[in-house]
Amino acid sequence: MRTLCASTLIGEFFVIGFAGLVAMKDPDLTQATVWTVCGVAMLLSVLLCGMLSRPGAVQLGWALQIGLVASGFVVPTMFFLGAVFAGLWWCSVHYGRKIDIAKARWAAMAEDSAAAGTPDAA
């Protein structure tokens, strides 16, 4: 799960950065507003990427996704991006857990077959 979630967060980092560049062309938004919203979101996504092995990281990821959607009240483009990233986060968590379960099964099967194939030393 950590690999998929980390990939999603790094993807968010880059897409939000590029979206910030596009949003700066909006005459209703100041450069400071755009980079405050986008910069905070980018920083949080990278920090969370480093915390994925800690308890509660998935919940923090959901908080980040909700924050991205809510940041659309400041930079309207973020409504769309936030919704897309929330969907990607759900997929990363959902399918990442399935991959983790499959990997654990394969590791257990490999361990069982290795134990069955080696004679006892006693």
Side-chain angles (χ1 to χ4, degrees):
M1 179 176 71
R2 286 181 14 205
T3 303
L4 285 176
C5 290
S7 300
T8 298
L9 291 168
I10 293 300
E12 286 182 21
F13 173 83
F14 285 109
V15 172
I16 291 169
F18 290 131
L21 293 173
V22 172
M24 283 192 327
K25 295 186 185 249
D26 187 344
D28 296 334
L29 299 172
T30 66
Q31 186 174 0
T33 302
V34 170
W35 284 118
T36 299
V37 170
C38 292
V40 168
M42 291 168 67
L43 178 67
L44 290 175
S45 66
V46 170
L47 289 175
L48 183 58
C49 189
M51 295 175 48
L52 284 173
S53 61
R54 307 241 181 214
V58 173
Q59 290 79 9
L60 285 174
W62 280 115
L64 174 64
Q65 306 314 315
I66 291 167
L68 288 174
V69 173
S71 69
F73 289 110
V74 180
V75 179
T77 308
M78 295 304 290
F79 278 125
F80 173 73
L81 284 178
V84 168
F85 286 136
L88 285 173
W89 184 253
W90 179 86
C91 287
S92 298
V93 171
H94 178 74
Y95 292 112
R97 285 187 177 144
K98 286 186 175 193
I99 291 169
D100 288 348
I101 291 168
K103 287 167 83 176
R105 268 193 215 130
W106 292 333
M109 287 177 15
E111 186 178 303
D112 289 344
S113 66
T118 58
D120 287 332

